[in-house]
């Protein structure tokens, strides 16, 4: 029900690209440009600065973006509430997830949820835990799934399940024959780490600190932005990584990677976060309960 021009503006403002916005909205670029021109004419002000092949928001554009996010969010909520009144579970569901959860757990959860509720249109945003948490706090996502607890006071968090992290390395790497590995032993080997802001990175940093090992003292060879990248580098024999057990099952079965438990064990909480001050629709509540049950099954 939201003004189409606001939807187009929001897409351009988020992508800072008319081309990418057109692709996301399944529109032509001239149609996107026309909608933005109409909006600028309506308010008699420029919303974007254009120059040198790039665009940016003007001060007026920054203000319109804040209102657009609130209006679009309320429009989605209205659609969901009307669906509830008619007894039908329908409408958009904006889900954000950290990389590990999005790649290895959530596809099955979303697939089975869609089979039960085919009128629901789930949209998935993938980023590290810090970014997802911030997006939920900005009300641009209905719910976020992150690795670890929430840090923003304006968010509520619900624990989904416990996830164990393990060391992985190539079969011929010096650590491969160990029955279990202590933090002190890892200090002497090359570490392939996740990037700052990742939930996995925060958990591993805290694990080493608790063992009296400053993370900066580790032999960190590189920092990578996804579990798949981590596995690819580790498989070459360059070093070890610490990942969720759900990440490496297939590779360990095929023999391209070896999984070794940590001593003491390293576990973390996978959490769902949502705004404290925002009404939870029946759709969001239903998805929360469904996802918690399915995630517990998948990580066992």
């Amino acid at each position: 029900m939201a003004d189409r021009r606001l939807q187009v503006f929001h897409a351009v403002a988020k992508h800072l690209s008319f081309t990418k916005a057109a692709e996301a909205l399944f529109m032509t670029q001239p149609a996107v440009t026309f909608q933005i021109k109409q909006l600028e004419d309506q308010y008699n002000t420029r919303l974007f600065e254009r120059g040198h092949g790039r665009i940016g928001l003007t001060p007026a554009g920054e203000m319109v973006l804040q209102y657009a996010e609130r209006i679009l969010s309320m429009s989605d909520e209205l659609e969901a509430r009307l669906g509830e009144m008619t007894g039908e579970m329908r409408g958009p569901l904006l889900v954000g997830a950290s990389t590990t959860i999005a790649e290895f757990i959530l596809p099955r959860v979303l697939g089975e949820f869609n089979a039960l509720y085919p009128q629901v249109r789930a949209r998935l945003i993938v980023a590290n835990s810090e970014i997802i948490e911030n997006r939920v706090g900005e009300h641009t996502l209905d719910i976020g799934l992150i690795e670890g607890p929430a840090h923003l006071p304006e968010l509520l968090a619900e624990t989904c399940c416990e996830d164990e992290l393990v060391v992985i390395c190539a079969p011929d790497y010096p650590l491969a024959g160990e029955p279990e590995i202590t933090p002190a032993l890892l200090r002497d080997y090359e570490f392939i780490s996740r990037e700052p802001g990742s939930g996995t990175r925060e958990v591993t940093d805290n694990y080493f600190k608790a063992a009296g090992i400053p993370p900066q003292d580790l032999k960190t060879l590189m920092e990578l932005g996804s579990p798949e990248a981590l596995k690819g580098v580790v498989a070459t024999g360059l070093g070890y990584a610490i990942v969720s057990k759900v990440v490496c099952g297939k590779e360990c079965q095929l023999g391209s990677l070896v999984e070794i438990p940590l001593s003491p064990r390293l576990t973390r909480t996978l959490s769902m976060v949502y705004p404290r001050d925002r009404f939870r629709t029946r759709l969001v509540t239903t998805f929360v309960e469904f996802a918690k049950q399915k995630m517990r099954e998948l990580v066992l």
Side-chain angles (χ1 to χ4, degrees), residues 106-117:
L106 205 53
R108 182 170 167 183
V109 173
L110 289 175
E112 293 187 18
F113 190 77
N114 182 253
L116 288 173
Y117 306 105

Side-chain angles (χ1 to χ4, degrees), residues 83-103:
E84 291 175 10
M85 289 182 68
T86 62
E88 191 178 55
M89 194 80 73
R90 63 187 176 99
L93 179 65
L94 307 178
V95 181
S98 65
T99 313
T100 298
I101 296 173
E103 290 183 0

